[in-house]
Amino acid sequence: MRKEELALKSHATRVELIEVAQGRRPADLFIKGGTVINVYSGEFLPQNVAIYKDRIAYIGNSEAAIGEHTRVIHAEGKYVSPGFIEPHAHPWVVYNPVSLTMKSLSSGTTTLVNDNLFFYLHMGASGFKAMLQDLRELPGNNLWLVRLVSQAEYPSERDEFNAGDVRSLLELEEVVGTAEITRWPLLYKGDPFVIDTIEYAKRLGKISDGHTAGCSYEKLNSIVAAGISACHEAITAQEALDRLRLGMWTTLRNSSLRPDFPEIMKLITENKVSTNRILLTTDGPHPAFIEEQGSVDGLLRIAVELGLTPMQAIQMATINPATFLGLDQEIGGIAPARRADVLILPNLVDFRPELVISAGTIVASKGQTLVSPPVIDWMKYVAKPAFTMERTLLQHPDLYRYPHTSSAEPVPVIYFQSNVITKKKDTELPVNNGYADLSKHPGLVMANLIDREGQWITKGIMERFAVDLDGMASTYNTTTQLLVIGRDAEAMAKAAARVHELGGGIVIVDRGEIIVEIPLPLAGMMTTDPEFHKAVEYQEVLLSELKKRGFPFHDILYTLLFLTCDFLPGLRLIPLGLYDVKAGGVIKPAAAIETERV
């Protein structure tokens, strides 16, 4: 179905639904003979389902709604399920909102609740609003959460995340609440802007999602008091239980970075808690994870394998998130007047739908989408140029070297303990012409975070990243500034200059030649390609080439993303400088670029 045909589908009125329910008006779609998964009562019922326009009109044994032009779907021996809901999506992990939506629809996820962070950073409020207007043509149900702060403090942050703009977004129909606040100490300390904005969202009847990684039970009390509605960061059954007991909607995560289900499902299989306030999420996994394991359908497969009943799992992926969002009268179940997001499941083992119906339209069959996405001109929403500095500035190798004047003074090295967790490792390094000499330390690489406007640079040295990397440059990171890493300053300069030419992306240079080039023009984070496989291809090439050069972990995208945040343990490169999260302060301030010896 073309988008023009999709747009012709209108909303059903209540009077029309009454008429269909009574057999006085024919249904558009009629699902006959299936077993309805009733997530409200927890029953499996042999019933028919009548759909008119975008809504469900009738569930029961009558066939009176079948008319001459009604399309009948025979579902004998199959299950009729509500569409799955992903309550915590990040539609910017190289893929974009269009490619993620289309991929998710093909496997039964009919509602995505998306984080707006990088769109807001590069589009501002007006550009983001314009994007949402155009995305209304997209099949599926796209909802949004808006950030109140970034994931790394920067000088103009409070001006850009201002009350007027943020509140104007919270008033939008597609926006269902505030997004996770990764820097949760702001909540613990009662930051006035954050608290006031959460209170404003509450007055609008909207939710406030949370992120409380590492937060103790005692401190969680303050976070809940601040108005946070949910958290997806528990990594043990006990942590999940703490959140559940304090009234938080508790979201269990299984993702590319954090495949937590085997441990965290013990909350249910061993603790035997009620599941009516428990949700499931993939939390923005890398593209290959979705390609290989699916979206919410993959979560259901694993949950049932680990001991949940199919009904429990489906409720946690449908009616529970709908109720959390305050939308259980619209989505999350099969009942009259609900949005007609319906799946035909051959079984309750692999949860791969045979048919996917979204708002009354059959959008996918056996894993293949049947509708076309809208053509989006992403760049028209962007308010900021990709770079305002001259490319020639990036071509000076000395820009990337680490200033060092005394071999007796240890250098604070960023040592990678895992994909995203680092620690400070003081290391003595020799000096060569005023810079740290890494020639006798093969495990070390230089790392620089450079302002896209050319105002400042944060410098560091890293260990256990990729020991044989000549040069890499990437705007894919939580600040979307230019991150440049490597052992060879000439290669680093070439990679950085090429990313500048691309207007954002990731480039690797080896022995003077560009060997990887990934254009990410949308916020420096996303391909504009509507095909999901392009994001998968980019990610797999990047990981493969870095593994060849010594990268020891499994999720390069999240390593790059979180190296520049200020909320995970260890040393970080942020716009303010080299930041020690544990100590809570900058140990080497960012330098003005004009003072660098370039």
Side-chain angles (χ1 to χ4, degrees), residues 466-594:
V467 295
D468 297 320
L469 177 65
D470 283 355
M472 180 178 77
S474 172
T475 52
Y476 185 91
N477 63 79
T478 204
T479 67
T480 75
Q481 304 294 351
L482 182 62
L483 177 64
V484 189
I485 301 169
R487 290 183 58 82
D488 183 334
E490 299 277 353
M492 295 166 72
K494 185 169 184 176
R498 181 56 183 152
V499 169
H500 187 290
E501 290 176 340
L502 293 173
I506 305 172
V507 170
I508 296 177
V509 172
D510 186 68
R511 299 179 185 180
E513 299 297 326
I514 294 174
I515 62 164
V516 172
E517 183 172 291
I518 300 173
L520 301 174
L522 182 52
M525 301 289 291
M526 291 159 274
T527 172
T528 55
D529 198 306
E531 297 295 333
F532 191 82
H533 70 80
K534 179 58 68 174
V536 176
E537 173 189 321
Y538 283 153
Q539 179 230 326
E540 290 182 339
V541 167
L542 177 64
L543 180 61
S544 174
E545 292 300 330
L546 284 178
K547 277 187 170 293
K548 291 177 185 177
R549 288 156 182 80
F551 182 72
F553 307 113
H554 71 282
D555 196 337
I556 179 58
L557 292 180
Y558 271 92
T559 298
L560 295 175
L561 186 71
F562 286 153
L563 175 59
T564 62
C565 73
D566 60 8
F567 58 87
L568 287 173
L571 289 186
R572 304 281 155 181
L573 297 168
I574 71 170
L576 302 181
L578 184 62
Y579 187 80
D580 188 334
V581 175
K582 185 176 181 180
V586 172
I587 60 175
K588 182 178 174 61
I593 286 184
E594 58 265 28

Side-chain angles (χ1 to χ4, degrees), residues 34-38 43-49 59 78-81 311 334:
T35 298
V36 171
I37 303 172
N38 192 308
E43 298 173 285
F44 296 96
L45 301 172
Q47 292 180 319
N48 303 319
V49 178
I59 304 95
K78 299 169 186 176
Y79 295 88
V80 184
S81 170
M311 180 60 75
I334 296 176

Side-chain angles (χ1 to χ4, degrees), residues 378-398:
W378 296 103
M379 305 315 295
K380 74 179 182 181
Y381 314 120
V382 176
K384 301 178 181 179
F387 293 93
T388 55
M389 72 168 96
E390 294 294 327
R391 184 171 63 91
T392 52
L393 178 65
L394 298 171
Q395 295 174 312
H396 293 275
D398 283 351

Side-chain angles (χ1 to χ4, degrees), residues 402-411 427-432 434-437:
Y402 188 91
H404 190 42
T405 56
S406 172
S407 58
E409 182 179 347
V411 172
T427 305
E428 292 184 359
L429 296 174
V431 176
N432 184 1
Y435 297 106
D437 182 1

